[in-house]
Amino acid sequence: MSFFGLSGMVYSGESLNHHRIVLAEDSNLFSAMVSKRLKELFDIDVIVCRDFDDLQFAIENDSFPAALAITNINLPGAENGQALNYLIEMSVPTVVFTGTFQESIRAEIIAKELVDYVLKDSVLAVDMLAEAVCRFLTNHRHHVLIVDDSPTARAILTTQLKRYNFKTSAAENGAVALEVLKKNPDIELVITDYNMPEIDGFELTRRIRSGYGMHQLRIIGVSSSADRLLSARFLKAGGNDFVMRPFVNEEFYCRVNQNLDTLMKIRSLAERVKAVA
């Protein structure tokens, strides 16, 4: 069964039932809807936890660790958000599924470095949650190269992408990046800083494009410069997208997803054309 995500993601339909998913949700309605949808789409049997005690038991009393937890912010027995802290302490990747959302809550979720959050604010909420689950469980198939001469910037991006379950490589300059690309033909996305010595982001993009077409690899440029013309110059050099620092976490993740979705669609179309020819 193919699943076309609300944001453009395409899921081919293979079973993901080897993953153990824990759902901490005291609402019978939402727990039933989420369980049914994940079973329909991905053949996943969800372990439902109605309160904090159930959640602790599910996490700690199974030899097969949870690949992902989905949790409300407040649970019976953990009315002040203790469930989130517990899941972080147990190193369980977590998606928050909540109907209570304010800027302070968003800031807290981002600070805790959870995988994602989905709001229960529309009839599409369950499908949006299913897409978030699918992305996390399949992101390891995507190899992303981070290019930045700043060790701190490389570390931040690497940590953020690994939190989303991507496979990552890093390079401290353009020359190293080109060597990494040669050795790793599975790289599908390059995220490169603009301001680097010797080979800057523009020149690196031009060199990459001389050997890799749009159907092979996507390129996102990043910069903390206030020069608004950088994005135009970068796109003209062969880039696909441009993001200004400091990032808004949700925007950055959406940009990465959208570029990979576009790449998958281009490849799928090319395969169809080849099959017809």
Side-chain angles (χ1 to χ4, degrees), residues 24-26 70-75 83-84 95-99 120:
E25 174 61 69
D26 59 323
I70 303 166
T71 185
N72 202 339
I73 291 178
N74 300 314
L75 285 175
L84 298 183
V95 173
V96 173
F97 189 47
T98 180
K120 302 174 184 174

Side-chain angles (χ1 to χ4, degrees), residues 33-131:
M33 292 172 63
V34 171
S35 298
K36 180 181 178 182
R37 196 64 174 135
L38 294 183
K39 181 64 175 179
E40 288 175 343
L41 294 173
F42 315 126
D43 195 28
I44 295 174
D45 291 312
V46 175
I47 301 168
V48 178
C49 304
R50 303 292 184 185
D51 56 32
F52 190 44
D53 287 340
D54 285 352
L55 176 61
Q56 289 177 301
F57 185 85
I59 297 298
E60 298 177 29
N61 292 277
D62 198 303
S63 58
F64 185 42
L68 182 70
I70 303 166
T71 185
N72 202 339
I73 291 178
N74 300 314
L75 285 175
E79 286 80 3
N80 297 309
Q82 296 96 324
L84 298 183
N85 292 330
Y86 168 74
L87 290 167
I88 292 169
E89 290 172 2
M90 299 300 292
S91 300
V92 180
T94 302
V95 173
V96 173
F97 189 47
T98 180
T100 304
F101 194 79
Q102 300 170 349
E103 181 55 35
S104 60
I105 295 175
R106 174 201 170 270
E108 181 180 358
I109 290 172
I110 297 300
K112 293 180 184 297
E113 297 188 350
L114 302 171
V115 172
D116 206 350
Y117 63 85
V118 178
L119 304 183
K120 302 174 184 174
D121 61 352
S122 75
V123 296
L124 302 176
V126 173
D127 271 354
M128 292 177 66
L129 177 63
E131 181 173 334

